[in-house]
Amino acid sequence: MTEKKEVKSAPKAVKKAPAKKAPAKKAVVAINAENVGFKAGDVYNALAAEAKALTVAEIAKAAKISSEEVYLGIGWLFKEGKVKGENDKVTLA
């Protein structure tokens, strides 16, 4: 009787599914007087450091805060008369 030899085949290439990106987490912004006041300070300091008009994105990057937080801070500073709008940019008044 002849023995059957086991033939091992080469492993099949496994296609990997493309990596799915996790949805971006939205920043949770606590809206209270203390937090908004701190964000206003961050915005003011970023504008003072640059000494020129900046866009919201530029302020967010310079202050290391989200654009939502920048808008909160700008609102506070507008109310106090500390900033003004200038060609889609914000500058110190």
Side-chain angles (χ1 to χ4, degrees):
M1 193 166 165
T2 57
E3 289 184 28
K4 289 186 180 180
K5 292 184 179 178
E6 269 188 53
V7 178
K8 292 184 180 179
S9 60
K12 295 181 181 179
V14 177
K15 292 184 180 180
K16 292 184 180 180
K20 293 182 181 178
K21 292 183 181 178
K25 292 183 180 179
K26 290 187 177 183
V28 176
V29 181
I31 300 177
N32 56 47
E34 183 178 17
N35 188 43
V36 176
F38 284 131
K39 299 311 169 191
D42 293 340
V43 170
Y44 188 90
N45 290 334
L47 288 169
E50 293 293 324
K52 64 178 183 176
L54 298 174
T55 65
V56 170
E58 291 169 336
I59 296 169
K61 185 176 179 180
K64 298 179 183 165
I65 58 177
S66 70
S67 59
E68 290 85 4
E69 293 169 323
V70 172
Y71 285 119
L72 286 172
I74 290 171
W76 181 291
L77 294 170
F78 268 124
K79 180 74 174 167
E80 291 184 346
K82 306 239 178 181
V83 295
K84 61 183 178 178
E86 188 176 279
N87 298 329
D88 294 332
K89 294 185 178 186
V90 180
T91 188
L92 294 176

